[in-house]
Amino acid sequence: MSGVSLKGIVKAYGALQVVHGIDLEVQEKEFVVLVGPSGCGKSTTLRMIAGLEEISDGDLTIDGRHVNRVAPKDRDVAMVFQNYALYPHLNVADNIAFGLRIRKESKETIASSVEEVGGILGLTPYLERRPADLSGGQRQRVAMGRAIVRRPKVFLFDEPLSNLDAKLRTQMRAEIKRLHKRLGVTSIYVTHDQVEAMTLADRIVVMHDGRIEQIGSPMELFLNPVNTFVAGFLGSPPMNMVNARIVAGDLGPVAEFGDNKIQLDQVASLQNSVGQDVVLGIRPEFVTVADDTVPHRVSVEVDLIETLGSEALIHASLQGDPFVIRTETVGQMNVLDGISGFTIAPHLIRVFDAKTGVSLPGQAVGQ
Amino acid sequence: MSTDPDFTGPTTENLVFDAAEAQRRRRGSTLVRIGDHLKREWQLYAMLLPTILWLIIFLYKPMYGLQIAFKDYSIFRGVADSPWIGLEHFNTLFNNDQFLRAVKNTVIISFYSLLFGFPMPILLALMFNEVLNQTFKKSAQTIVYLPHFISSVIIAGIVITAFSPSAGIVNTVLGWLGIDSIYFLTKPEWFRPIFVGTGIWQEAGFQSIVYLAAIAGVSPTLYESAVVDGASRWQMMWKITVPSIMPTIIIMLIIRIGNILEVSFEMIILLYQPATYETADVVNTFIYRQGLQGGQYDFAAAAGLFNAVVAFVLVMTANTISKRYSRTSLW
């Protein structure tokens, strides 16, 4: 089993601790994405797995073997770097072959491996070219070729698509996904781009300030974020956060904000929470736009409607705070013209504690 | 187009003409454009000015005097009024045994300096780059840079003292080993090794700065990537560091080859003596003796011009070869 296991992994530079005891089990063949804002410790964690940074405390095992003190080359991992890390003086074939040459593989093995990898990545026509003569996407493919050719137990990706333009990024994202399906190698991928995380990952690890906030499948994290940080980080546009107070209603607890009231009786833990301040997490996609004719709607003031084609983003304000709604446009243009609020199914609202930002228990949304 | 007979506005032809005229005026003459450019960027040119003045005063203006290489020059008649004598000085020069010996010595000394002196700063830089202890690294660097900042006269004094047959450290050590004192600086066969060695001791450290800077410019991820691939420090040095600084090495080599005839002649003057002329006298010291000490300015100018022409050809050739084979060149 070539999984990766992190137990209480700590990274400290002198007195400054940047990664505070991370626990993570990556299963064999799994594609795990570490995501978080800049400085959250995700790259440092990846570099500790690669062996480029010393592990200050905790245990790292790869394929069941304790590797804290094992040199990077003996960990059997391959890493793809953000700026490709290609050798400018070597052509594509030699760049791909570099790792094999270092390991003194036979000439025949090297030649056939380079040919095979070139074929997989569509680099065959460029094998003789130098990196300077390649486009960004091609360079990134060479960088992946260098990782693939060694047939490592684990692939480590450190923001490999950050240097590419948006279109190429989408394309390479799909290629990485296909490659992972084809090769089935355990992969750990670091990015700050939540779209990359959502599309690539079997499981996402959201990190913040050197700690793991939540681990789960993309949909699990999207639907059931454990706190406001995860809720705000995943999804584009991010989840709307509305401050509210729980009051008693005829049928159970009701969230009250301004003149609006939303029935929240399905959240079991709210039954005894009358008077509690909460934050309502409302996904821009989960609301239904409403005009003046709809009763029980939550009123918003519309500032701007961005039409993106099949859908539109409605930038509005709710009690003075920005509130974004994402809605389909087809057959709805008339409604959009007269929009004055929205309705939402109560079970799609996520309720967080206003003080701690933690999701209140008992409100899992099924996928 | 208007067909109205009362239409008094400009015709299409006039409009086209006006547009062209306006564009011409806007574009301005070359002179105007250069003027605009200077007005905009004058600060940069102001910074360039001292260097240009220096070049003109010390390198271009003296070229006027080069003509005395083809003249029977006398300081009383002046440069312009001295009579032309064609290539006579060059004839004399190429029939002068001392000059030919000086050319031979120059080439040999330069060749040794290049052979032993050129790789040394590169090796030093590579070694410094591998030193992990910062305190040791910094003190070692300071120690090897130091000789560069000491005047050649003092360096020569140190060398003369070190190789002195009576009290010099070299002969003292030889004495311990039971070897008789050697009069190093009076022996022609010892001059070149001592001169080349002194040059390396004096300059290798300082020249290594260029290579250290080049090494500092190599992306750290290249090394990280190699570490993950399993490269040893030795492999990284030869497969990453050296190829990465190769353009710098080539540029430095071109410059060095261009200066191959520019043996540091003040050091030779300080170290040589008539007993070692046989191996020590180079073109520049020959020019110095003939021109300044012997007063044969025209003859010395011819020797100097010859030196310059050969150097020019060498640097052009080196640059062309490098451009063709390594895509790296000075211009």
Side-chain angles (χ1 to χ4, degrees), chain A residues 47 52 72-73 77-79 81 83 85-87 89 98-99 102-104 146 150, chain B residues 219 221-232 235-236 239-240 243-244 327:
Chain A
R47 291 166 62 82
L52 295 171
K73 68 185 166 84
V77 299
M79 188 153 168
F81 293 84
N83 56 5
L86 301 180
Y87 304 117
H89 55 279
F98 188 85
I102 291 288
R103 279 153 203 255
K104 304 231 172 357
R146 278 185 36 182
R150 284 191 15 228
Chain B
S219 161
T221 48
L222 290 185
Y223 295 104
E224 291 183 343
S225 167
V227 164
V228 177
D229 277 344
S232 62
Q235 282 171 320
M236 283 193 273
K239 290 186 190 277
I240 300 174
S244 298
R327 299 194 216 173

Side-chain angles (χ1 to χ4, degrees), chain B residues 251-270:
Chain B
I251 293 278
M252 295 306 283
L253 188 64
I254 296 171
I255 295 174
R256 194 67 188 258
I257 290 172
N259 290 337
I260 202 161
L261 299 185
E262 292 289 323
V263 175
S264 103
F265 95 115
E266 72 270 21
M267 188 54 91
I268 296 215
I269 285 185
L270 291 165

Side-chain angles (χ1 to χ4, degrees), chain B:
Chain B
M1 211 204 289
S2 174
T3 49
D4 183 354
D6 294 335
F7 178 72
T8 53
T11 63
T12 309
E13 287 76 17
N14 279 340
L15 282 173
V16 169
F17 179 81
D18 286 349
E21 177 63 17
Q23 202 166 27
R24 194 188 65 78
R25 252 186 253 140
R26 211 172 22 249
R27 202 190 299 142
S29 66
T30 314
L31 222 57
V32 170
R33 266 185 293 152
I34 290 175
D36 284 350
H37 177 73
L38 285 178
K39 221 179 272 171
R40 236 186 358 254
E41 313 277 3
W42 68 269
Q43 292 96 333
L44 293 177
Y45 288 99
M47 283 192 274
L48 197 60
L49 201 61
T51 313
I52 292 177
L53 283 178
W54 182 84
L55 277 170
I56 291 172
I57 294 170
F58 292 103
L59 294 177
Y60 282 89
K61 190 177 164 289
M63 279 193 206
Y64 170 74
L66 270 182
Q67 55 181 292
I68 67 169
F70 306 95
K71 284 184 166 182
D72 182 14
Y73 175 70
S74 134
I75 46 171
F76 302 109
R77 279 194 298 252
V79 172
D81 295 332
S82 297
W84 293 96
I85 54 161
L87 296 173
E88 203 182 301
H89 290 311
F90 291 92
N91 263 329
T92 323
L93 206 56
F94 291 118
N95 288 316
N96 183 321
D97 287 344
Q98 279 191 27
F99 176 71
L100 296 178
R101 187 184 68 191
V103 171
K104 187 181 121 192
N105 283 339
T106 307
V107 171
I108 293 176
I109 288 179
S110 283
F111 176 73
Y112 284 148
S113 298
L114 189 69
L115 189 68
F116 298 105
F118 186 73
M120 201 52 86
I122 303 171
L123 291 177
L124 266 179
L126 291 173
M127 279 154 56
F128 281 137
N129 190 46
E130 298 297 320
V131 175
L132 295 176
N133 183 320
Q134 287 302 311
T135 320
F136 176 74
K137 186 175 173 174
K138 285 202 176 118
S139 13
Q141 280 177 306
T142 310
I143 290 167
V144 298
Y145 295 164
L146 218 51
H148 170 82
F149 297 101
I150 300 174
S151 151
S152 292
V153 178
I154 294 168
I155 296 278
I158 294 172
V159 171
I160 289 167
T161 313
F163 286 99
S164 143
S166 49
I169 184 162
V170 178
N171 274 314
T172 308
V173 172
L174 289 178
W176 292 342
L177 300 171
I179 299 169
D180 289 340
S181 281
I182 300 170
Y183 291 71
F184 285 103
L185 291 168
T186 58
K187 300 226 182 260
E189 67 269 27
W190 280 104
F191 183 82
R192 287 171 190 154
I194 290 174
F195 175 80
V196 172
T198 306
I200 293 176
W201 173 57
Q202 193 181 2
E203 293 299 335
F206 195 70
Q207 287 167 356
S208 74
I209 292 177
V210 175
Y211 300 107
L212 277 171
I215 291 172
V218 182
S219 161
T221 48
L222 290 185
Y223 295 104
E224 291 183 343
S225 167
V227 164
V228 177
D229 277 344
S232 62
R233 288 182 76 96
W234 182 254
Q235 282 171 320
M236 283 193 273
M237 183 159 100
W238 290 109
K239 290 186 190 277
I240 300 174
T241 312
V242 173
S244 298
I245 64 169
M246 199 44 93
T248 310
I249 295 178
I250 289 169
I251 293 278
M252 295 306 283
L253 188 64
I254 296 171
I255 295 174
R256 194 67 188 258
I257 290 172
N259 290 337
I260 202 161
L261 299 185
E262 292 289 323
V263 175
S264 103
F265 95 115
E266 72 270 21
M267 188 54 91
I268 296 215
I269 285 185
L270 291 165
L271 287 180
Y272 81 164
Q273 38 187 297
T276 50
Y277 277 2
E278 184 189 333
T279 55
D281 193 22
V282 295
V283 177
N284 278 332
T285 49
F286 175 81
I287 293 169
Y288 169 75
R289 280 205 317 279
Q290 298 298 325
L292 294 180
Q293 289 182 337
Q296 290 178 279
Y297 300 111
D298 44 6
F299 183 61
L305 182 58
F306 168 78
N307 210 15
V309 169
V310 175
F312 180 71
V313 171
L314 283 173
V315 80
M316 288 293 283
T317 315
N319 193 58
T320 312
I321 293 173
S322 164
K323 203 189 235 169
R324 185 164 306 165
Y325 294 104
S326 71
R327 299 194 216 173
T328 308
S329 61
L330 270 179
W331 66 86

Side-chain angles (χ1 to χ4, degrees), chain A residues 11 34 40 50 83 86 94 155 233 241 257 286 291 295 298:
Chain A
K11 179 67 195 179
L34 305 184
C40 71
N83 56 5
L86 301 180
D94 290 336
F155 279 141
F233 196 78
M241 303 290 178
F257 49 104
F286 289 173
D291 55 19
V298 178

